[in-house]
Amino acid sequence: MAEIVVNCLIEKIAEALSSVAIRRVGSLLTAERQVHSKIGEIKGELQVMQEYLRYADSYRGSNRQVVRAWLNGVRDLAFQIEDIVDEYTYLMSRQNRSKFLKGHLFRVFNYSHDRALHRIAARLEKVESRLSRLSETNNRYGLRIPEGASNSLNNEREMGWHLAVSAHFLKEDDIVGVEEQREQLIRWLTDEEPRRTTVSVWGMGGAGKTTLVASVYRAQRIIGRFDCRLWVYVSQSCTTDDLLRRIMSEFYRENTEAAPHDISSMDHRILVETIRAHLQQKRVVITTRKQEVAIKADDCRVVELKPLKEEEAWTLFCKKAFQREKIRICPQELGYWARRLVEKCEGLPLAIVTLGNVLAQSAKTELAWKNVHDNLLWETSNNPELHRVSVILSLSINDLPNYLRSCFLYCSIFPEDYLIERKRLIRLWVAEGFVKEERGESSMEEVAEDYLNQLVGRCMLQVVERNEFGRASRCQVHDLMRDLIVARSREENFCEIYDNNSRGNAQHRVRRLSILGGRGDHQLSMNMEQLCSFHVFSSSSVLSPLLLPKFKLLRVLDLNCAPIDIIPDEVVQLFNLRYLSVRETKVRELPKAIGRLRNLETLDAWLTCVENLPSGTTKLENLRHLMVKKIQCKTSRYTNSVTGVHATDRIDNLKNLQTLKAVVADEDMIKHLGNLTLLRRLEIVEVRHMHCAKLSKSIVKMQHLRHLVIARKYRQETLQLEALSPPPPFLQKLSLYGKLDQKVLPNWLISLANLTHLTLQSSGIGEDSLLLLSSLPKLVYLILFEAYDDQPLHFKAGWFPQLKVLRLQDMAHLSSIDIEQEALINLQELFLIRCRELKMVPLGIENLTRLQKLELDDMPQELVEKLRDGGESKEDRLRIQHIPVIMNWVKMGDSWTEERLS
């Protein structure tokens, strides 16, 4: 980790020096030049260290602890340098703005500026002295990484090799939960295709990939089918030529032939040609933790192994924990702790088997098993069996490139089993400086999403929820993997997790602090002057104004869902702040001097009580995401009554904005809105009829826009949006809340070739408009909310071929739905909400063969009864029998009660 910290710091210093040189008008003053020069010299010293750090970070030799102590010193010093660079960058940007000051104010400012520069220069001298002492320490104690340090993970890789070999000696009845995948592999390997075929087995470390393939390798149907079978272990450090030589050696060993003496010296071309000849019309199976490797299989022949289901995990555990018993059943008195121990494994076969083996040696008493549960620490366990699990999983972490390792370790801030929202994680990574902008059209957020997808592809993050077109929307870290990154984050001062179980031992050097559970700020009495990230997942108040001055270099202040109703004014002193979130809190207003936070990139006050943006908001020249919306009440399980906020004049000063939602429309703001050409998401509310023409012309200029929401102010207002032509070419999500002009769709709407989500409320459209909508080629999500005025709703053959989700809400006149064959052929979810005249089961619902869920909310009782327990009549039962889930929601006071109808 020290290598990553120093690498990032070198990049940051280079960027800072370049930025100061560009932004500074005229030559640097003497004091400025001295600081500038010192920072450059320190950068050079750090670059000399880089090569050594690359090996030292992964060193596992006999003097590892001494090397580790030295690395801690390097890392701590790098954090100090980073803080100085941040202060220097801020100071110089402030100096650049001082040119507008005159007279006495200018002289006072310059005096303050010079004093601050001298303080920075003094701190840099101390840094240089510490750097020299670290170099001397390195020389004095001979902290030299021995030859072969690049292979310092040999012990871990050797353990991986032993794990691969041991899979061959498992009994068949010890393999649980993969019977279907085993049969699929055997079918693929024994088909009659006359060509070489590659099959992949993909999953996280410990998921049972090697065990599954070893079982297939030993299967009689495979032994009888192939005249030669090879098993080759590939370590993470293995080169291509090493692998080819191993394969060739195995060929000769399997065929009991003498291998050529020159295998070790054969050139690459001969190796490839020889092995290609051997593999003609053969089958190759690859096990991998990386999706990018797995997808190279032929014809999508990929088996993905996921964690075992609850009962499968229990079965495997009992086989191992009671392997010495005649009947492998858990006694009742051990059941409680056994179940809790299995839960800790989260379906990971390696962990379940290892834990079962440990308990097989343990006393079969409730107290003994409780002790194992209470003291189960995979990373630091003295038990070799348990420690093996952490070593195997650590291989995946160690294999991450630097830019991904920081991003993954950052996930340790979240509580156990926490659902991590994609957009939030991406914006946090950007704010922390983990994401580097690439050349071309991609934004940093798009680069960060690629990072996230790479972590998913490497099985480091698990996708818990995907949106309608397969994009990850919520992710999770496997509990065992989280235990590892929490331990590693603490060891490397990357992040401190402060929860109900911690001893309050956060150090002043900690860079990131995450408060979980019920811990409050009364325990945070230490001076954490190096803190750069503060997160709250706590039910106690944690934002004392007395704390904020201690966090002067804070980059991230994440108070999502925290129990607060005010943001202390002291927050505006955090000049380095990039990310401020008070989402879903009771905060009523933002600090009046918020404009002082010149580095702020994300301001998230979504679903709070904030009504107005302070006038200083327009000074936030680096702001990328501005999300503010006031929630009033919940109108259904799916909708809230919300209002936007009043924006300040000249919001178009925020040239870097990508997200702006939800702002109240006014004449001046709309006129300048078109200057925000980088916008990707825009939500504008309380739009009047007189605003529509200018609003349309402004939106046309937003060529990067992906998501657009327009809501009218009064119910009788008409949205005249014909002038919004041509529309933004990449628009994917569109919501129009208000009556459409002449109750017909704007002509440009049908040209939205990339539109995937559409919401219409109070539009007043009829069947002709529905026909036009049905031709949108990528539409997968459609909400009609008081939007359709006709009594029957008729979906004709060929309509909405890609639609997956349809929600019909508050259709006052809707009395029947008719679905023809070949209509809505991909529909998976149908929601019917407060359609009070709809009392019959939709005619032709049996044609929706892919429908997975039918959900009702506040619908007529006649319809509910027809759907309950498969329908009142045989005809009804036949029409809905293919739908796996039919739900009815009934409002009880301020909450909803769920009733399963089938």
Side-chain angles (χ1 to χ4, degrees), residues 47-97:
Q47 285 173 323
V48 173
M49 280 187 176
Q50 268 183 305
E51 191 65 26
Y52 179 81
L53 291 172
R54 179 170 298 120
Y55 299 119
D57 250 345
S58 58
Y59 182 58
R60 301 291 186 272
S62 58
N63 60 338
R64 178 190 176 193
Q65 293 307 317
V66 182
V67 174
R68 184 63 53 192
W70 185 83
L71 286 171
N72 288 342
V74 172
R75 187 171 53 244
D76 186 38
L77 185 59
F79 290 155
Q80 290 183 37
I81 298 170
E82 182 181 20
D83 295 343
I84 292 172
V85 171
D86 281 340
E87 288 191 53
Y88 174 63
T89 306
Y90 167 71
L91 201 62
M92 297 305 291
S93 66
R94 194 178 65 165
Q95 169 71 1
N96 208 39
R97 294 193 295 270

Side-chain angles (χ1 to χ4, degrees), residues 83-221:
D83 295 343
I84 292 172
V85 171
D86 281 340
E87 288 191 53
Y88 174 63
T89 306
Y90 167 71
L91 201 62
M92 297 305 291
S93 66
R94 194 178 65 165
Q95 169 71 1
N96 208 39
R97 294 193 295 270
S98 71
K99 61 186 178 183
F100 300 107
L101 299 176
K102 295 181 179 180
H104 176 69
L105 285 177
F106 182 73
R107 288 191 294 275
V108 169
F109 181 89
N110 268 355
Y111 175 73
S112 170
H113 180 70
D114 285 345
R115 288 191 63 186
L117 281 172
H118 282 100
R119 285 195 297 270
I120 287 177
R123 290 166 64 192
L124 286 172
E125 286 181 5
K126 292 181 180 179
V127 164
E128 286 182 310
S129 177
R130 279 198 65 188
L131 264 176
S132 296
R133 288 200 301 273
L134 281 167
S135 296
E136 290 170 6
T137 302
N138 192 358
N139 294 327
R140 184 182 307 132
Y141 293 104
L143 302 183
R144 289 286 176 264
I145 304 302
E147 289 187 20
S150 57
N151 295 320
S152 58
L153 296 179
N154 279 346
N155 290 340
E156 294 176 357
R157 289 169 183 145
E158 187 177 345
M159 188 173 289
W161 179 80
H162 281 299
L163 186 69
V165 171
S166 64
H168 288 279
F169 302 103
L170 288 174
K171 299 176 182 177
E172 289 301 320
D173 65 347
D174 286 341
I175 300 172
V176 174
V178 291
E179 294 79 10
E180 187 176 321
Q181 292 91 330
R182 184 177 185 272
E183 285 303 310
Q184 178 65 74
L185 276 176
I186 291 174
R187 282 198 300 272
W188 281 340
L189 294 173
T190 55
D191 68 16
E192 297 300 325
E193 285 194 51
R195 62 187 178 93
R196 183 174 64 251
T197 301
T198 303
V199 179
S200 296
V201 180
W202 170 52
M204 72 178 289
K209 304 180 294 295
T210 305
T211 302
L212 169 62
V213 174
S215 169
V216 172
Y217 186 83
R218 299 192 309 269
Q220 286 301 318
R221 281 182 285 169

Side-chain angles (χ1 to χ4, degrees), residues 613-629:
L613 290 175
S615 58
T617 306
T618 54
K619 297 179 182 177
L620 303 175
E621 56 197 34
N622 289 303
L623 200 63
R624 302 167 73 87
H625 306 285
L626 176 56
M627 298 157 287
V628 191
K629 181 183 271 191

